[in-house]
Amino acid sequence: MANISNAFGDCIVTAKDSETAQRVAELLHSLTDSFGYYTHLNLEDGVQCKEMNTFECSFYADGRWSFKNNMEMMGTWIRNNEDINKTSETIQELEKEDFKVSFDYVDEEQGCAFIEDAVASLHHKANTPIESMEYVPESCECYDYTVKNLIEICGYDREYAEELFDDESEENAY
């Protein structure tokens, strides 16, 4: 069984126009929110930007080892998920569009002891299989897994960050 990371940040979907970008976000959300290692787009706080042909919203996710893995595998997971195959019309609608999905996020996982602040995107060409989405890393800063970094980078409160170090001494956690 894989370790589960905690990722959160902002998502920007770019398409031919802002309405299509929002529809792509809705379709992706309907497909990926039910995964065991899900990606939940907060559509209700989303905003269209007509000038940029984008739809922007926040997101959170459970990464399979890391959120990077979710992004790399998203198209394949969509294609292979039994529950999703019952909604092939959703996949077909998504496959008709050119789009880019950018994630600006923080990801952390206790077992492998990492914190990352990264930007990466997925690119899909219209009329190609969803599993052909290309993962494009853009930037990634890695940080030590410490209480201080959990507070400063992940935004956790001190009590929760310290709980993640249950058996470690305070000096090792800072």
Side-chain angles (χ1 to χ4, degrees):
M1 180 173 188
N3 287 6
I4 301 171
S5 74
N6 299 303
F8 53 89
D10 296 313
C11 174
I12 301 173
V13 180
T14 307
K16 64 185 173 194
D17 55 52
S18 61
E19 291 80 14
T20 303
Q22 181 170 350
R23 182 65 181 151
V24 166
E26 292 166 354
L27 293 168
L28 282 173
H29 174 77
S30 74
L31 295 167
T32 63
D33 193 49
S34 64
F35 289 167
Y37 301 100
Y38 66 88
T39 300
H40 177 90
L41 303 179
N42 293 313
L43 300 172
E44 62 282 348
D45 74 11
V47 176
Q48 284 185 10
C49 179
K50 293 188 184 303
E51 297 80 27
M52 301 292 290
N53 300 331
T54 61
F55 178 77
E56 301 179 26
C57 64
S58 62
F59 83 97
Y60 57 91
D62 276 355
R64 184 177 192 277
W65 294 109
S66 71
F67 184 63
K68 174 187 173 196
N69 188 54
N70 289 34
M71 289 184 289
E72 291 174 330
M73 297 301 299
M74 189 176 291
T76 300
W77 289 352
I78 288 171
R79 176 68 66 207
N80 294 334
N81 188 303
E82 287 181 35
D83 295 333
I84 290 171
N85 286 335
K86 296 175 187 166
T87 59
S88 62
E89 63 278 352
T90 304
I91 296 170
Q92 290 170 2
E93 184 179 349
L94 195 55
E95 288 177 331
K96 290 179 184 177
E97 301 297 337
D98 275 316
F99 61 86
K100 175 182 173 184
V101 183
S102 296
F103 294 97
D104 184 345
Y105 66 96
V106 171
D107 193 17
E108 65 86 5
E109 199 280 315
Q110 181 181 20
C112 294
F114 74 82
I115 299 173
E116 294 178 346
D117 187 355
V119 177
S121 57
L122 298 170
H123 300 251
H124 181 265
K125 293 184 192 279
N127 303 310
T128 64
I130 195 66
E131 60 271 25
S132 71
M133 276 194 299
E134 179 186 4
Y135 167 75
V136 179
E138 296 172 28
S139 66
C140 184
E141 284 286 324
C142 298
Y143 299 91
D144 292 332
Y145 196 85
T146 65
V147 168
K148 180 182 179 191
N149 286 342
L150 287 167
I151 294 167
E152 292 179 3
I153 298 163
C154 300
Y156 296 167
D157 65 38
R158 177 169 296 284
E159 184 177 332
Y160 178 70
E162 288 174 349
E163 284 177 23
L164 296 175
F165 285 89
D166 47 5
D167 290 334
E168 294 189 31
S169 71
E170 221 172 88
E171 56 206 74
N172 287 337
Y174 287 88

